[in-house]
């Protein structure tokens, strides 16, 4: 019999694609390698019983603001966002931490001599932030808000370091911008790293970066539950390794890396396209630690406990040097560390009085170096006494991530380098990047625009592309 669409992988993009297809009237089957749906949004007791850690994604500005997820009835399917008091705390040596509040004015007031400059940079984008996000998170095309996009694009195309240095005079605002820009996983001197810095600041002034109640897996479960109400089917524990594993359908959407697409679908894709998929660049990996803690993290500036995410890396210069070192294949002594403290806001994450800690830093692709001491030293620098609170630790290196999910090639967590070329031409330069030369095969993972993060927009756009074709195709096996 077969179905209209088979989706390989149930990450946020695979599930978003399945839902968009089902909403468009298609019958849908999702095949997932792991025993549970979710991909980058899983939660597990990684350290001790009762401590629920987010294995991958931890804080969700893109999830709560996703133009597609916001249209879905995910709350009815159990998803509850918990908003912290602030999105980011950025501690600095020997002075109060910079805090990124939802209020533009309150944030600006904490930036000393850059108070007015910060306001001037962000305010124009806060007039219609959701409109801007709709355009930024879409595939390259004619924007709905061309003037706003032009204004954003002229700044966003710059490097995070260049933009921060030219707009701000003081270390505080520059450090805040650098921390947000470092989410790009690009060297901060590289063009377009400014886009991520700016975008993340904008999101924080619209919604505090939330955590999902009970763990990020709640997002996956809500998506899967809604998909089932639309008649979609999900088979977990089903790894696709070749075309022979795929049942008959009209279209196939791969929520996988370009490398896996090239491997699995090689017999039905032209050699030239396969060569281009194999040239795709994945970029640095991550080294991640999760801790079971005896109490909250003892930050020198206790206001750091108010933020879901803490950026540890000091000044712009220090963060830029650390990220540049990673791109040279080095392991900096003082890496830029992204820390999330979910249990501070969600009591379901740890037993009474106890806490979870989650932190990672960027490392060269495929690195096998144990950075436990380096990472903990960076936390200890801003939270003396942190180590004494550790009850148990769990470590994931790039090879652990790749084993956990083959999409994380070399430990790269956001679907591949998003530099000036690959941010838009992902996985290859094509008018419709979700399509492939085979009219029945699509890619819908974070290796398509708009790239990494839990927003489902890659899946949504890929599904729209597939829906335009589906009626003209026969149900058949893919051989
Ligand atoms: C450590 C870490 C921290 C992160 N932090 C954040 C964060 O705080 N906020 C944020 O928004 N994003 C974060 N991300 C990024 C985010 O998780 C990813 O960008 C997002 O999950 C990508 O979604 P996806 O659907 O494209 O792919 P994935 O989430 O990778 O899902 C792909 C799914 O496909 C399955 N699969 C793969 N190959 C096959 C196969 N051959 N057969 C069957 N199934 C297969 C996998 O098992 C997986 O379930 C983080 C990622 C990591 C690893």
């Amino acid at each position: 019999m077969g179905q209209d669409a088979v989706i390989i992988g149930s990450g946020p993009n695979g599930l978003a694609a399945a839902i968009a297809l089902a909403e468009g009237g298609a019958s849908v089957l999702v095949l997932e390698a792991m025993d549970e749906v979710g991909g980058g949004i899983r939660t597990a007791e990684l350290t001790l019983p009762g401590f629920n850690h987010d294995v991958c994604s931890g804080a969700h500005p893109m999830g709560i603001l996703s133009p597609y997820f916001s249209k879905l009835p995910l709350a009815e399917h159990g998803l509850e966002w918990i908003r912290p008091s602030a999105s980011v705390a950025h501690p600095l040596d020997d002075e109060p931490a910079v805090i990124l509040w939802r209020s533009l004015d309150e944030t600006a007031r904490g930036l000393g001599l850059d108070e007015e400059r910060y306001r001037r940079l962000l305010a124009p984008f806060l007039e219609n932030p959701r409109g801007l996000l709709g355009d930024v998170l879409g595939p390259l095309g004619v924007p709905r808000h061309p003037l706003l996009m032009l204004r954003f694009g002229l700044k966003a195309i710059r490097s995070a370091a260049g933009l921060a240095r030219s707009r701000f005079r003081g270390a505080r605002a520059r450090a805040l911008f650098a921390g947000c820009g470092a989410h790009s996983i690009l060297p901060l001197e590289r063009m377009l790293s400014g886009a991520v810095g700016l975008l993340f600041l904008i999101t924080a002034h619209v919604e505090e970066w939330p955590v999902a109640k009970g763990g990020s897996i709640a997002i996956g479960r809500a998506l899967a539950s809604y998909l089932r109400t639309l008649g979609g089917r999900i088979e977990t524990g089903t790894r696709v390794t070749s075309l022979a594993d795929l049942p008959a359908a009209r279209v196939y959407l791969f929520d996988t890396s370009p490398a896996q697409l090239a491997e699995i679908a090689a017999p039905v894709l032209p050699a030239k396209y396969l060569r281009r998929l194999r040239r795709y660049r994945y970029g640095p990996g991550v080294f991640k630690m999760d801790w079971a803690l005896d109490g909250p993290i003892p930050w020198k500036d206790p206001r750091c406990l108010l933020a879901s995410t803490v950026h540890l890396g000091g000044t712009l210069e220090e963060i830029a040097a650390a990220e540049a070192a990673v791109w040279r294949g080095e392991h900096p002594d003082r890496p830029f560390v992204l820390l999330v403290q979910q249990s501070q806001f969600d009591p379901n994450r740890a037993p009474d009085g106890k806490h979870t800690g989650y932190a990672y830093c960027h490392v060269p692709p495929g690195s096998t170096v144990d950075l436990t001491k380096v990472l903990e030293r960076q936390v200890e620098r801003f939270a003396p006494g942190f180590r004494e609170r550790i009850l148990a630790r769990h470590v994931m290196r790039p090879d652990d991530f790749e084993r956990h999910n083959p999409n994380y090639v070399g430990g790269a967590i956001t679907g591949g380098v998003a530099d000036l070329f690959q941010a838009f031409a992902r996985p290859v330069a094509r008018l419709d990047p979700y399509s492939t030369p085979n009219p029945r095969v699509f890619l819908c993972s974070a290796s398509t625009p708009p790239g990494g993060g839990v927003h489902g927009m890659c899946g949504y756009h890929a599904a729209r592309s597939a829906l335009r074709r589906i009626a003209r195709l026969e149900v058949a096996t893919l051989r």
Side-chain angles (χ1 to χ4, degrees):
M1 273 292 288
Q3 43 277 303
D4 293 324
V6 169
I7 291 98
I8 298 103
S10 71
N13 285 312
L15 291 172
I19 291 170
L21 282 158
E23 284 182 329
S27 55
V28 170
L29 171 66
V30 180
L31 303 176
E32 167 55 49
M34 304 277 284
D35 290 332
E36 184 162 36
V37 296
I41 39 179
R42 292 196 183 98
T43 305
E45 288 183 339
L46 297 175
T47 53
L48 298 173
F51 289 83
N52 297 304
H53 303 274
D54 291 330
V55 183
C56 302
S57 183
H60 295 101
M62 297 300 173
I64 196 168
L65 289 170
S66 159
Y68 188 50
F69 285 172
S70 354
K71 284 193 195 138
L72 305 179
L74 300 181
E76 287 166 32
H77 292 267
L79 175 60
E80 194 178 318
W81 295 116
I82 304 182
R83 295 167 176 82
S85 306
S87 293
V88 175
H90 190 123
L92 293 164
D93 296 318
D94 310 318
E95 59 179 295
V98 179
I99 309 285
L100 177 56
W101 306 100
R102 187 197 283 215
S103 156
L104 179 65
D105 287 337
E106 207 175 340
T107 307
R109 275 197 295 276
L111 299 176
L113 73 166
D114 284 314
E115 176 174 347
E116 200 39 46
R117 288 189 194 95
Y118 184 80
R119 230 182 252 125
R120 271 206 305 274
L121 176 65
L122 270 299
F125 302 115
L126 300 180
E127 283 165 22
N128 181 10
R130 287 177 199 269
L132 177 70
L133 278 169
D135 281 340
V136 172
L137 295 180
L140 203 56
V142 182
R144 287 195 179 174
H145 308 89
L147 288 179
L148 193 58
M149 265 302 269
L150 180 67
R151 190 167 198 160
F152 178 79
L154 287 173
K155 295 185 173 63
I157 198 163
R158 300 186 61 187
S159 74
L163 185 56
R165 284 193 188 110
S166 69
R167 300 298 297 215
F168 303 127
R169 299 285 168 271
R172 295 177 68 76
R174 287 180 176 181
L176 175 66
F177 198 90
C180 290
H183 284 257
S184 66
I185 324 188
L186 290 172
L188 295 195
E189 312 286 350
R190 181 90 53 95
M191 278 174 88
L192 208 65
S193 52
V196 174
L198 204 49
L199 193 65
F200 274 56
L201 287 174
I202 293 168
T203 61
H205 292 303
V206 185
E207 285 281 5
E208 291 85 0
W209 296 0
V211 300
K213 185 175 175 185
S216 299
I217 187 59
I219 309 168
R221 288 190 183 141
L223 288 166
S225 163
Y226 176 52
L227 174 63
R228 289 194 184 100
T229 65
L230 299 172
R233 290 183 301 130
I234 302 173
E235 278 177 22
T236 52
T238 308
R239 183 174 297 279
V240 175
T241 56
S242 76
L243 296 182
D245 298 329
L246 294 172
R250 291 178 212 276
V251 291
Y252 297 84
L253 283 80
F254 285 74
D255 185 18
T256 69
S257 63
Q260 274 207 85
L261 172 66
E263 205 178 303
I264 297 167
V268 295
L269 290 171
K272 190 171 164 206
Y273 181 74
L274 289 171
R275 271 199 303 279
R276 290 164 77 197
L277 286 183
R278 288 180 184 128
R279 280 204 299 267
Y280 187 79
R281 294 167 294 128
Y282 294 90
V286 300
F287 177 92
K288 176 170 180 269
M289 294 192 72
D290 289 278
W291 297 281
L293 299 170
D294 204 11
I297 301 177
W299 300 110
K300 264 192 223 166
D301 182 340
R303 293 176 315 146
C304 291
L305 285 176
L306 300 175
S308 55
T309 305
V310 188
H311 289 160
L312 303 172
T315 61
L316 160 74
E317 285 66 32
E318 207 185 317
I319 297 170
E323 294 299 290
V326 170
W327 276 80
R328 287 195 304 271
E330 297 163 15
H331 297 81
D333 272 352
R334 288 181 151 196
F336 172 66
V337 175
L338 291 106
L339 185 145
V340 183
Q341 32 191 12
Q342 292 91 334
S343 63
Q344 208 55 47
F345 313 98
D346 180 4
N348 304 289
R349 304 296 185 104
D352 274 357
K354 311 288 182 217
H355 282 274
T356 57
Y358 154 124
Y360 67 87
C361 65
H362 304 140
V363 292
S367 157
T368 55
V369 178
D370 181 1
L371 294 175
T372 300
K373 287 207 173 97
V374 173
L375 210 140
E376 288 184 356
R377 204 188 312 129
Q378 197 67 319
V379 184
E380 188 79 26
R381 170 179 165 193
F382 300 104
F386 167 70
R387 279 198 207 95
E388 281 98 86
R389 302 238 161 132
I390 299 174
L391 299 170
R393 9 170 109 73
H394 180 269
V395 168
M396 283 179 89
R397 300 180 318 190
D399 50 339
D400 298 316
F401 275 109
E402 201 167 341
R403 256 193 310 279
H404 174 73
N405 178 350
N407 283 13
Y408 301 141
V409 179
I413 63 168
T414 53
V417 175
D419 59 10
L420 206 46
F421 182 71
Q422 237 179 224
F424 307 106
R426 56 200 289 127
V428 303
R430 269 176 87 76
L431 217 50
D432 175 354
Y434 311 97
S435 70
T436 71
N438 186 315
R440 301 172 62 208
V441 177
F442 296 81
L443 187 67
C444 69
S445 70
S447 301
T448 59
V454 175
H455 43 63
M457 295 309 290
C458 313
Y460 169 74
H461 293 301
R464 306 268 302 179
S465 172
L467 279 168
R468 284 195 288 273
R469 294 239 190 99
I470 215 161
R472 282 179 272 132
L473 297 164
E474 296 292 315
V475 175
T477 49
L478 188 63
R479 297 285 185 271

